[in-house]
Amino acid sequence: MSGVGAVRDAWLGHGLRAWPSDRTTAESAVETLYRRSGFREPEFVWVPSPPAGSDLIAVEGLATTLSFAGDRVECVSVRIATMLSESRRRMDTLIARGRSDWPHERRAIETARAQSPDDSARVGISPNAIIRAAVWDSLRTSLFDGVAAAMRTLMPAVVGGVSWYGQQEAHRVAFYDTYRRFGLARFRSDDVELLDLHTALTGATGWWWAFDNVCVMAERPTALHTEPIPGRVHNERRLHHPDAPALEFEDGHLLFVHHGTIVPDWVVLEPTVERIARERNVEVRRCAIERIGWDTYIDEAGLALIDRADDPGNVGHTLQLYVISDGWGRSDHILLAVNGSPERDGRRRRYGIYVPTRISSALDAAAWTYGINGTDYARLVRRT
């Protein structure tokens, strides 16, 4: 399966693209989808960001024009969704003919997730399992579970029931495109045409919503920053920028993200011990502490060390258990440990885990995170 990684990375580039849309290509593809759905070409309304698109939909009441009753088939949004769904079902049927029994295939996918496509092919992993792991799973993690999920936090719930399409669907289009490119499935001509339309849209623009007479088209970000997800082998990415918004649009909508976790701007721009103490969200506190560094935080916050022990699962490193005030009159225990696997730059990340206050032993705290007792954890050879 030489070349699968290159195909995946090309689609990842489409999904993470941050420059102006090719409006001519995007509008032409959407017009074709409307015609194939039995509707006239719509009026196009371009907005600077998906949040601006959702605001427009809410203000103009466009979502209320959709019918979810017995006549729902008359809505262009539903017709397009149905047309694409039926096409995918036909392509899935053709792909399934080359699969082995599902339990075996599922185990093969798990194996393929942990190694490169070429290594998987050398040990006899099926092309289906390789493509599922290296293309679908990888791109879904980076784009659908990552970027699109973050995007939804900027938008009101009022548009939640309206189908929207765009860059976050690159994993889906890439999956079928990979089968086509490698000659592993021969799709119907009408499905190939739809795949080409979807391919053109994914490469030409960001997010869009279809209504009977109007199509709302959102521009792509002006900035979109990611980093590799540690421990992954298929170029999975997560949103992150160390000192600026990870996601930003021309109209000022933006998100600060620390290693995949959405955080308030102060966590990235100006984290302080005082702000950390006032923060109720545990994940936000953890990110802010990592921003200023554990040694600095321990010193400035005056954390009390409860226990320290060599880490039997990570030779050469120690476990440290501290008591920490949450700033709201309560105290927590936090275990400071070192990751068993290095980051891509070779460094080992220090991280803190909140553990029950009843635990007063560093070994017991580490064991608790694995659901075992301290005695069993002490017998570990290496933790990853």
Side-chain angles (χ1 to χ4, degrees):
M1 295 299 291
S2 177
V4 167
V7 172
R8 175 204 61 225
D9 290 346
W11 278 102
L12 180 64
H14 289 316
L16 298 178
R17 190 165 291 167
W19 61 66
S21 298
D22 176 352
R23 295 191 177 188
T24 299
T25 298
E27 290 183 4
S28 176
V30 170
E31 285 172 348
T32 302
L33 286 174
Y34 268 71
R35 288 195 297 269
R36 292 187 64 148
S37 300
F39 281 75
R40 297 178 57 184
E41 292 87 345
E43 172 191 357
F44 289 96
V45 178
W46 284 87
V47 293
S49 69
S54 65
D55 290 343
L56 175 66
I57 291 169
V59 169
E60 298 295 330
L62 294 175
T64 63
T65 66
L66 295 177
S67 171
F68 294 93
D71 61 341
R72 62 182 296 174
V73 73
E74 297 306 315
C75 300
V76 67
S77 176
V78 173
R79 284 198 179 183
I80 290 176
T82 300
M83 180 171 59
L84 294 174
S85 177
E86 290 176 349
S87 176
R88 289 194 297 266
R89 186 163 54 249
R90 289 191 296 267
M91 291 189 288
D92 286 339
T93 298
L94 288 172
I95 291 170
R97 292 176 183 174
R99 285 187 184 141
S100 58
D101 63 286
W102 179 238
H104 174 76
E105 192 81 7
R106 188 163 48 194
R107 290 192 296 271
I109 292 170
E110 290 298 324
T111 301
R113 284 175 180 153
Q115 57 192 18
S116 73
D118 289 346
D119 287 343
S120 292
R122 276 193 287 269
V123 297
I125 299 296
S126 72
N128 292 300
I130 293 172
I131 294 172
R132 172 64 65 169
V135 179
W136 177 283
D137 290 351
S138 170
L139 293 176
R140 182 180 175 90
T141 295
S142 301
L143 304 176
F144 193 81
D145 298 336
V147 176
M151 193 80 64
R152 290 190 187 96
T153 68
L154 293 173
M155 298 190 289
V158 68
V159 298
V162 182
S163 296
W164 62 316
Y165 306 92
Q167 286 174 291
Q168 81 279 1
E169 291 196 304
H171 73 285
R172 195 188 307 277
V173 188
F175 178 71
Y176 300 111
D177 180 55
T178 303
Y179 276 92
R180 177 174 58 169
R181 287 186 185 223
F182 286 87
L184 297 172
R186 188 175 181 84
F187 303 130
R188 284 175 25 170
S189 60
D190 54 342
D191 293 328
V192 170
E193 291 172 5
L194 279 175
L195 186 58
D196 286 340
L197 286 172
H198 221 166
T199 297
L201 272 167
T202 305
T205 191
W207 294 261
W208 56 281
W209 296 261
F211 301 94
D212 289 359
N213 300 309
V214 63
C215 185
V216 179
M217 309 286 290
E219 277 291 351
R220 290 186 283 219
T222 55
L224 197 163
H225 302 281
T226 65
E227 65 175 2
I229 299 178
R232 302 293 187 93
V233 299
H234 296 300
N235 201 18
E236 291 92 337
R237 314 285 298 185
R238 64 187 179 189
L239 288 169
H240 174 73
H241 196 290
D243 50 27
L247 187 64
E248 191 168 7
F249 290 89
E250 185 181 7
D251 61 359
H253 283 97
L254 54 82
L255 285 174
F256 288 86
V257 188
H258 178 78
H259 299 310
T261 300
I262 299 171
V263 296
D265 58 357
W266 65 265
V267 172
V268 172
L269 300 178
E270 196 176 0
T272 65
V273 169
E274 293 73 24
R275 282 174 166 162
I276 292 169
R278 293 193 298 268
E279 176 58 51
R280 290 181 178 271
N281 186 288
V282 172
E283 278 298 295
V284 171
R285 291 208 306 267
R286 176 188 61 78
C287 291
I289 292 171
E290 289 184 354
R291 282 285 296 144
I292 66 176
W294 278 100
D295 290 336
T296 299
Y297 179 71
I298 289 169
D299 181 58
E300 293 186 2
L303 301 193
L305 180 66
I306 301 173
D307 187 41
R308 181 199 305 265
D310 292 334
D311 188 347
N314 198 3
V315 177
H317 299 281
T318 61
L319 300 166
Q320 296 167 282
L321 186 64
Y322 291 91
V323 61
I324 176 175
S325 172
D326 68 357
W328 298 91
R330 300 186 303 270
S331 294
D332 291 319
H333 286 182
I334 190 166
L335 175 71
L336 184 59
V338 177
N339 198 355
S341 300
E343 304 286 314
R344 295 230 174 161
D345 61 6
R347 294 180 299 176
R348 292 183 184 271
R349 172 174 164 252
R350 299 175 77 190
Y351 62 95
I353 305 172
Y354 287 88
V355 299
T357 55
R358 59 180 169 77
I359 298 177
S360 58
S361 158
L363 277 177
D364 287 341
W368 176 83
T369 66
Y370 288 89
I372 60 178
N373 59 49
T375 301
D376 290 337
Y377 184 81
R379 298 193 185 102
L380 292 179
V381 174
R382 183 168 181 81
R383 170 173 52 83
T384 59

